[in-house]
Amino acid sequence: MRGGTVPDLPLLPAGHNTARSALTCEYRCGNSCSHEAPNRSLNPYFGDVVQRALSRRGVFKGGAVLALAAGGATLAASPAAAAPAVTSGGRPSRGLDFEPVAPNTADAVTIPADYAQQVVIRWGDPVLAGAPRFDAHSQSAKAQARQFGYNADYMALLDLPRRRGHQLLVVNHEYTNEEIMFFGYVPATPTREQVEIAWAAHGLTVLVVRADDCSGRLWPVTGDALNRRITATTPIRFTGPAAGSDLLKTNADPTGRTVLGTLNNCGGGITPWGTVLTGEENFNQYFGNAVAVTDPVAKARLARYGLPTGASTRKWERFDDRFDIGKEPNEPNRFGWVVEIDPYDPTSTPRKRTALGRFKHEAAEPRLTRDGRVALYMGDDERFDYLYKYVSTKTYKKGDSRAAREHNLTLLDEGTLYVAKFTGDSPAAEIDGTGRLPSDGEFDGSGEWIPLATGNVSHVAGMTAEEVYVFTRLAADKAGATKMDRPEDVEPHPTTGRVYVALTNNSDRGAAGKVGPDEANPRIGNKHGHILELEERRSDAASTSFSWRLMLVCGDPEDPSTYFAGFDKLKVSPISCPDNVAFDPHGNLWIATDGSALGSNDGLFVVPVKGSERGHVKQFLTVPKAAETCGPIITEDRILVAAQHPGEVTGATAENPASHWPDGPGNIPRPSVVTVWKDKRR
Ligand code: FEO
Ligand code: CA
Ligand code: CA
């Protein structure tokens, strides 16, 4: 559809959207936001610094933090929400000259005036040669394995140097929504065909796309030799220090070195050597029957990763024993990893990199250290879980020679895995030792990267290195890491190297019997999330200490507990629940949201991180009903987003869908990739 703001669309009644759909919770995160957070370790908290955090820089004044916890004003109730668009108070930063869209609940992708959009590819569209056209009433596993998968999340766009106008689009397919995929679906008794379609709809797609010369349109090149589908049954190799461990061995794989498939692929990253990393997130939801495990150590490990004791939601264990923990107790250990994929070689075997640890991986975003090694920043998306970093032992080799490529493909197999500990109110100069701040502005505290393991050496008392990698959450508990408000994407700035950490929300923060606030997670009942800005010591990604400060504390700007890097709150767009983040070519931070608690659809926002416009949050688009904004990719030519799980509403079915996007009335919703561009004709 053509662009345009939607100022007059009715907003949901106050509070309508503040409770997440039960269906969303079940499928997206295995009820991670409603079940007991599986982190019950007793790490120390910064009770003595909480008050300093609340008063620092006037961010939180007059008990505002507690006021938010008690009320949490919704956007619909806010006068600020009625404003059709937020206007800039000054000259826009480069690339940000657009009028923000208004919050809305339209079943559409809504974009600024003067922009245009196109759906690039939908769930079920053909990818591989011979794939049939999508037919919602005649789906098959054989067809799905050659078609675009469900629920696109992270996307990477890579160059194809010898093919002008063509690029490679790599897309994660995080999970499936069976109730709105299949007509006649009965959750208690799924058919084998439905289960096998779901297996084929997971994983990734590698797709050649062709750019239009005169617009931002992108066209899929169906059947291209580079196109590929990776699914829940594709053979994948374990590499690194835990490969071959007894903890990874099963009846089907007594070597512990090959696993079938990748599941719940959420965020990701692109390496300097042109491979794609994809994080396996809520893998726990695919396994059933943990109740059969009686050994107390094994039970504790399963519980820490949230494995269900009863049947799984999708009942896959009825169709393949590997999803039955009672029959294959090590199979869950084979998920929850970062997978490296070479998109330029469709015959290559993806690798699960055990040196990067096992948890609910969101993304793995790289930055080179000063001496040329590679650092990866990684979040574990669970309430009260942790922020991690990996630093390779060997250095990156430039160039695309075969030798350089083979060398670089070993960089994620040997290094040190760290977890973050945040401390409040300690000037950066103290840890730098130079007596000066490492960058402009004021920091809220310092932090350290605590080593967990290096190669085959464990740094955690009472755990072997293999145990550290396979049960990383337990190792981080022992190390005294800081419990965070759901670390999602973590993105180093392409030029400054500062690291931006999206913390989606944590409704349990400070609840009765739960962990209270600390300076890095300062808000009780954190419904709207926040973003931290980290500066590594000497700006070196290899450092073991850093400074940090609050960049954004999200919500309705009328809410006194929000903070927009000091920018005038009268001029910013409301924003809630930051998830995927990415930088544009000008160094502005783009933020995709998931689960907005402000009564409007989720969206894509942009904020400059430096200069006079730092903190000026502007909403660029909204996604359809009940969808989550994913991707995103921002180039000079276009903005790509994935609209994940449109119509994911409790009680919705294929017969009675809550969304008809993108095909319109009479159709079931289809998660899709959308390109948006500045329409020069207008
Ligand atoms: Fe799949 Fe935490 O987002
Ligand atoms: Ca995410
Ligand atoms: Ca990212």
PDB file of all heavy atoms in Angstrom, residues 41 60 73 97 110 162 201 217 222-223 248 262 264 276 282 290 301 440 457 563 610 661:
ATOM      1  N   SER A  41      19.073 -18.155  41.147  1.00  0.00           N
ATOM      2  CA  SER A  41      20.337 -18.089  41.869  1.00  0.00           C
ATOM      3  C   SER A  41      20.365 -16.828  42.723  1.00  0.00           C
ATOM      4  O   SER A  41      19.621 -15.877  42.494  1.00  0.00           O
ATOM      5  CB  SER A  41      21.499 -18.073  40.883  1.00  0.00           C
ATOM      6  OG  SER A  41      21.487 -16.886  40.150  1.00  0.00           O
ATOM      7  N   PHE A  60      15.362   9.939  37.224  1.00  0.00           N
ATOM      8  CA  PHE A  60      14.165   9.514  37.927  1.00  0.00           C
ATOM      9  C   PHE A  60      13.980  10.419  39.130  1.00  0.00           C
ATOM     10  O   PHE A  60      14.767  10.371  40.070  1.00  0.00           O
ATOM     11  CB  PHE A  60      14.305   8.066  38.400  1.00  0.00           C
ATOM     12  CG  PHE A  60      14.598   7.135  37.281  1.00  0.00           C
ATOM     13  CD1 PHE A  60      15.871   6.649  37.079  1.00  0.00           C
ATOM     14  CD2 PHE A  60      13.596   6.769  36.410  1.00  0.00           C
ATOM     15  CE1 PHE A  60      16.131   5.796  36.033  1.00  0.00           C
ATOM     16  CE2 PHE A  60      13.854   5.911  35.366  1.00  0.00           C
ATOM     17  CZ  PHE A  60      15.130   5.424  35.172  1.00  0.00           C
ATOM     18  N   ALA A  73       0.994   4.180  32.766  1.00  0.00           N
ATOM     19  CA  ALA A  73       0.002   4.795  31.898  1.00  0.00           C
ATOM     20  C   ALA A  73       0.062   4.204  30.506  1.00  0.00           C
ATOM     21  O   ALA A  73       1.115   3.938  29.965  1.00  0.00           O
ATOM     22  CB  ALA A  73       0.263   6.297  31.828  1.00  0.00           C
ATOM     23  N   ASP A  97      15.022  12.522   7.760  1.00  0.00           N
ATOM     24  CA  ASP A  97      14.125  13.598   7.372  1.00  0.00           C
ATOM     25  C   ASP A  97      12.766  13.020   6.985  1.00  0.00           C
ATOM     26  O   ASP A  97      12.410  12.927   5.808  1.00  0.00           O
ATOM     27  CB  ASP A  97      14.746  14.378   6.197  1.00  0.00           C
ATOM     28  CG  ASP A  97      13.897  15.577   5.835  1.00  0.00           C
ATOM     29  OD1 ASP A  97      13.006  15.938   6.632  1.00  0.00           O
ATOM     30  OD2 ASP A  97      14.125  16.139   4.753  1.00  0.00           O
ATOM     31  N   THR A 110       2.304   0.620   8.239  1.00  0.00           N
ATOM     32  CA  THR A 110       2.049   2.047   8.062  1.00  0.00           C
ATOM     33  C   THR A 110       3.375   2.782   8.027  1.00  0.00           C
ATOM     34  O   THR A 110       4.202   2.613   8.932  1.00  0.00           O
ATOM     35  CB  THR A 110       1.187   2.575   9.221  1.00  0.00           C
ATOM     36  OG1 THR A 110       0.022   1.754   9.329  1.00  0.00           O
ATOM     37  CG2 THR A 110       0.774   4.010   8.979  1.00  0.00           C
ATOM     38  N   ARG A 162      29.780 -10.255  -8.087  1.00  0.00           N
ATOM     39  CA  ARG A 162      29.837 -10.475  -9.537  1.00  0.00           C
ATOM     40  C   ARG A 162      28.455 -10.523 -10.188  1.00  0.00           C
ATOM     41  O   ARG A 162      28.312 -10.898 -11.345  1.00  0.00           O
ATOM     42  CB  ARG A 162      30.614 -11.768  -9.823  1.00  0.00           C
ATOM     43  CG  ARG A 162      32.127 -11.595  -9.638  1.00  0.00           C
ATOM     44  CD  ARG A 162      32.891 -12.878  -9.836  1.00  0.00           C
ATOM     45  NE  ARG A 162      32.748 -13.771  -8.711  1.00  0.00           N
ATOM     46  CZ  ARG A 162      33.448 -13.651  -7.572  1.00  0.00           C
ATOM     47  NH1 ARG A 162      34.317 -12.673  -7.426  1.00  0.00           N
ATOM     48  NH2 ARG A 162      33.265 -14.509  -6.592  1.00  0.00           N
ATOM     49  N   ALA A 201       8.983 -25.432   8.228  1.00  0.00           N
ATOM     50  CA  ALA A 201       8.762 -23.977   8.261  1.00  0.00           C
ATOM     51  C   ALA A 201       9.707 -23.278   9.232  1.00  0.00           C
ATOM     52  O   ALA A 201       9.766 -22.054   9.273  1.00  0.00           O
ATOM     53  CB  ALA A 201       7.312 -23.675   8.637  1.00  0.00           C
ATOM     54  N   ARG A 217      12.319  -1.366  -4.559  1.00  0.00           N
ATOM     55  CA  ARG A 217      11.735  -2.699  -4.669  1.00  0.00           C
ATOM     56  C   ARG A 217      12.822  -3.775  -4.712  1.00  0.00           C
ATOM     57  O   ARG A 217      13.916  -3.560  -5.218  1.00  0.00           O
ATOM     58  CB  ARG A 217      10.872  -2.810  -5.926  1.00  0.00           C
ATOM     59  CG  ARG A 217       9.557  -2.072  -5.833  1.00  0.00           C
ATOM     60  CD  ARG A 217       8.693  -2.334  -7.068  1.00  0.00           C
ATOM     61  NE  ARG A 217       7.368  -1.740  -6.904  1.00  0.00           N
ATOM     62  CZ  ARG A 217       7.090  -0.471  -7.140  1.00  0.00           C
ATOM     63  NH1 ARG A 217       8.043   0.326  -7.590  1.00  0.00           N
ATOM     64  NH2 ARG A 217       5.877   0.001  -6.948  1.00  0.00           N
ATOM     65  N   THR A 222      13.529 -16.699  -7.603  1.00  0.00           N
ATOM     66  CA  THR A 222      13.109 -18.062  -7.262  1.00  0.00           C
ATOM     67  C   THR A 222      13.938 -19.077  -8.036  1.00  0.00           C
ATOM     68  O   THR A 222      14.167 -18.914  -9.230  1.00  0.00           O
ATOM     69  CB  THR A 222      11.619 -18.244  -7.594  1.00  0.00           C
ATOM     70  OG1 THR A 222      10.884 -17.240  -6.904  1.00  0.00           O
ATOM     71  CG2 THR A 222      11.136 -19.623  -7.163  1.00  0.00           C
ATOM     72  N   GLY A 223      14.380 -20.104  -7.329  1.00  0.00           N
ATOM     73  CA  GLY A 223      15.112 -21.181  -7.993  1.00  0.00           C
ATOM     74  C   GLY A 223      16.567 -20.893  -8.243  1.00  0.00           C
ATOM     75  O   GLY A 223      17.262 -21.705  -8.869  1.00  0.00           O
ATOM     76  N   LEU A 248      26.431 -34.183  24.775  1.00  0.00           N
ATOM     77  CA  LEU A 248      25.768 -33.957  23.482  1.00  0.00           C
ATOM     78  C   LEU A 248      25.453 -35.258  22.750  1.00  0.00           C
ATOM     79  O   LEU A 248      24.968 -35.225  21.617  1.00  0.00           O
ATOM     80  CB  LEU A 248      26.639 -33.059  22.592  1.00  0.00           C
ATOM     81  CG  LEU A 248      26.938 -31.657  23.124  1.00  0.00           C
ATOM     82  CD1 LEU A 248      27.787 -30.870  22.117  1.00  0.00           C
ATOM     83  CD2 LEU A 248      25.657 -30.891  23.429  1.00  0.00           C
ATOM     84  N   THR A 262      17.987 -26.711  13.318  1.00  0.00           N
ATOM     85  CA  THR A 262      18.159 -25.544  14.173  1.00  0.00           C
ATOM     86  C   THR A 262      16.754 -25.010  14.450  1.00  0.00           C
ATOM     87  O   THR A 262      15.884 -25.027  13.575  1.00  0.00           O
ATOM     88  CB  THR A 262      19.089 -24.501  13.526  1.00  0.00           C
ATOM     89  OG1 THR A 262      19.211 -23.375  14.393  1.00  0.00           O
ATOM     90  CG2 THR A 262      18.611 -24.047  12.154  1.00  0.00           C
ATOM     91  N   ASN A 264      14.035 -22.137  16.597  1.00  0.00           N
ATOM     92  CA  ASN A 264      13.757 -20.868  17.268  1.00  0.00           C
ATOM     93  C   ASN A 264      14.851 -19.839  17.008  1.00  0.00           C
ATOM     94  O   ASN A 264      15.338 -19.171  17.922  1.00  0.00           O
ATOM     95  CB  ASN A 264      13.554 -21.093  18.773  1.00  0.00           C
ATOM     96  CG  ASN A 264      12.494 -20.158  19.325  1.00  0.00           C
ATOM     97  OD1 ASN A 264      12.806 -19.106  19.865  1.00  0.00           O
ATOM     98  ND2 ASN A 264      11.239 -20.529  19.181  1.00  0.00           N
ATOM     99  N   VAL A 276      26.941 -15.864   8.247  1.00  0.00           N
ATOM    100  CA  VAL A 276      25.822 -15.353   9.048  1.00  0.00           C
ATOM    101  C   VAL A 276      25.704 -16.179  10.327  1.00  0.00           C
ATOM    102  O   VAL A 276      25.808 -17.414  10.298  1.00  0.00           O
ATOM    103  CB  VAL A 276      24.514 -15.422   8.236  1.00  0.00           C
ATOM    104  CG1 VAL A 276      23.306 -15.084   9.108  1.00  0.00           C
ATOM    105  CG2 VAL A 276      24.588 -14.458   7.055  1.00  0.00           C
ATOM    106  N   ASN A 282      14.257 -19.743  22.151  1.00  0.00           N
ATOM    107  CA  ASN A 282      13.384 -20.487  23.073  1.00  0.00           C
ATOM    108  C   ASN A 282      13.210 -21.949  22.646  1.00  0.00           C
ATOM    109  O   ASN A 282      12.100 -22.409  22.382  1.00  0.00           O
ATOM    110  CB  ASN A 282      12.031 -19.778  23.161  1.00  0.00           C
ATOM    111  CG  ASN A 282      12.174 -18.403  23.780  1.00  0.00           C
ATOM    112  OD1 ASN A 282      12.564 -18.272  24.934  1.00  0.00           O
ATOM    113  ND2 ASN A 282      11.883 -17.371  22.989  1.00  0.00           N
ATOM    114  N   ALA A 290      10.006 -33.862  30.568  1.00  0.00           N
ATOM    115  CA  ALA A 290      11.152 -33.723  31.471  1.00  0.00           C
ATOM    116  C   ALA A 290      10.863 -34.372  32.819  1.00  0.00           C
ATOM    117  O   ALA A 290      11.788 -34.663  33.576  1.00  0.00           O
ATOM    118  CB  ALA A 290      11.506 -32.246  31.659  1.00  0.00           C
ATOM    119  N   ARG A 301      19.397 -28.819  35.913  1.00  0.00           N
ATOM    120  CA  ARG A 301      19.850 -28.259  34.631  1.00  0.00           C
ATOM    121  C   ARG A 301      18.658 -28.006  33.702  1.00  0.00           C
ATOM    122  O   ARG A 301      18.570 -26.957  33.055  1.00  0.00           O
ATOM    123  CB  ARG A 301      20.849 -29.221  33.983  1.00  0.00           C
ATOM    124  CG  ARG A 301      22.196 -29.251  34.701  1.00  0.00           C
ATOM    125  CD  ARG A 301      23.050 -30.396  34.204  1.00  0.00           C
ATOM    126  NE  ARG A 301      24.423 -30.292  34.705  1.00  0.00           N
ATOM    127  CZ  ARG A 301      25.330 -31.255  34.573  1.00  0.00           C
ATOM    128  NH1 ARG A 301      25.006 -32.394  33.958  1.00  0.00           N
ATOM    129  NH2 ARG A 301      26.550 -31.081  35.038  1.00  0.00           N
ATOM    130  N   ASP A 440      32.874  11.351  25.630  1.00  0.00           N
ATOM    131  CA  ASP A 440      32.126  12.488  26.123  1.00  0.00           C
ATOM    132  C   ASP A 440      31.009  12.054  27.047  1.00  0.00           C
ATOM    133  O   ASP A 440      30.554  10.924  27.027  1.00  0.00           O
ATOM    134  CB  ASP A 440      31.531  13.252  24.944  1.00  0.00           C
ATOM    135  CG  ASP A 440      30.586  12.364  24.151  1.00  0.00           C
ATOM    136  OD1 ASP A 440      31.073  11.439  23.482  1.00  0.00           O
ATOM    137  OD2 ASP A 440      29.382  12.602  24.216  1.00  0.00           O
ATOM    138  N   VAL A 457      39.675 -24.854  29.208  1.00  0.00           N
ATOM    139  CA  VAL A 457      39.934 -24.489  30.605  1.00  0.00           C
ATOM    140  C   VAL A 457      38.723 -23.756  31.183  1.00  0.00           C
ATOM    141  O   VAL A 457      38.285 -22.730  30.653  1.00  0.00           O
ATOM    142  CB  VAL A 457      41.183 -23.579  30.706  1.00  0.00           C
ATOM    143  CG1 VAL A 457      41.418 -23.138  32.152  1.00  0.00           C
ATOM    144  CG2 VAL A 457      42.399 -24.297  30.142  1.00  0.00           C
ATOM    145  N   TYR A 563      13.160   8.264  29.906  1.00  0.00           N
ATOM    146  CA  TYR A 563      14.365   9.070  29.681  1.00  0.00           C
ATOM    147  C   TYR A 563      14.818   8.852  28.245  1.00  0.00           C
ATOM    148  O   TYR A 563      14.891   7.708  27.775  1.00  0.00           O
ATOM    149  CB  TYR A 563      15.459   8.642  30.666  1.00  0.00           C
ATOM    150  CG  TYR A 563      16.790   9.317  30.447  1.00  0.00           C
ATOM    151  CD1 TYR A 563      16.954  10.668  30.686  1.00  0.00           C
ATOM    152  CD2 TYR A 563      17.891   8.574  30.012  1.00  0.00           C
ATOM    153  CE1 TYR A 563      18.186  11.279  30.493  1.00  0.00           C
ATOM    154  CE2 TYR A 563      19.125   9.177  29.819  1.00  0.00           C
ATOM    155  CZ  TYR A 563      19.269  10.528  30.063  1.00  0.00           C
ATOM    156  OH  TYR A 563      20.480  11.127  29.875  1.00  0.00           O
ATOM    157  N   LYS A 610      24.399  10.440  18.784  1.00  0.00           N
ATOM    158  CA  LYS A 610      25.354  11.499  19.092  1.00  0.00           C
ATOM    159  C   LYS A 610      24.844  12.825  18.514  1.00  0.00           C
ATOM    160  O   LYS A 610      23.911  12.853  17.716  1.00  0.00           O
ATOM    161  CB  LYS A 610      26.735  11.172  18.549  1.00  0.00           C
ATOM    162  CG  LYS A 610      26.805  10.971  17.058  1.00  0.00           C
ATOM    163  CD  LYS A 610      28.207  10.580  16.641  1.00  0.00           C
ATOM    164  CE  LYS A 610      28.263  10.387  15.124  1.00  0.00           C
ATOM    165  NZ  LYS A 610      29.596   9.986  14.667  1.00  0.00           N
ATOM    166  N   TRP A 661      -3.409  -9.702   6.904  1.00  0.00           N
ATOM    167  CA  TRP A 661      -2.259  -9.129   6.204  1.00  0.00           C
ATOM    168  C   TRP A 661      -1.327 -10.236   5.720  1.00  0.00           C
ATOM    169  O   TRP A 661      -1.130 -11.207   6.433  1.00  0.00           O
ATOM    170  CB  TRP A 661      -1.497  -8.211   7.185  1.00  0.00           C
ATOM    171  CG  TRP A 661      -0.382  -7.466   6.523  1.00  0.00           C
ATOM    172  CD1 TRP A 661      -0.435  -6.307   5.834  1.00  0.00           C
ATOM    173  CD2 TRP A 661       1.000  -7.873   6.512  1.00  0.00           C
ATOM    174  NE1 TRP A 661       0.811  -5.954   5.380  1.00  0.00           N
ATOM    175  CE2 TRP A 661       1.712  -6.907   5.775  1.00  0.00           C
ATOM    176  CE3 TRP A 661       1.705  -8.968   7.032  1.00  0.00           C
ATOM    177  CZ2 TRP A 661       3.087  -6.983   5.569  1.00  0.00           C
ATOM    178  CZ3 TRP A 661       3.061  -9.054   6.817  1.00  0.00           C
ATOM    179  CH2 TRP A 661       3.738  -8.063   6.096  1.00  0.00           C
TER     180      TRP A 661
END
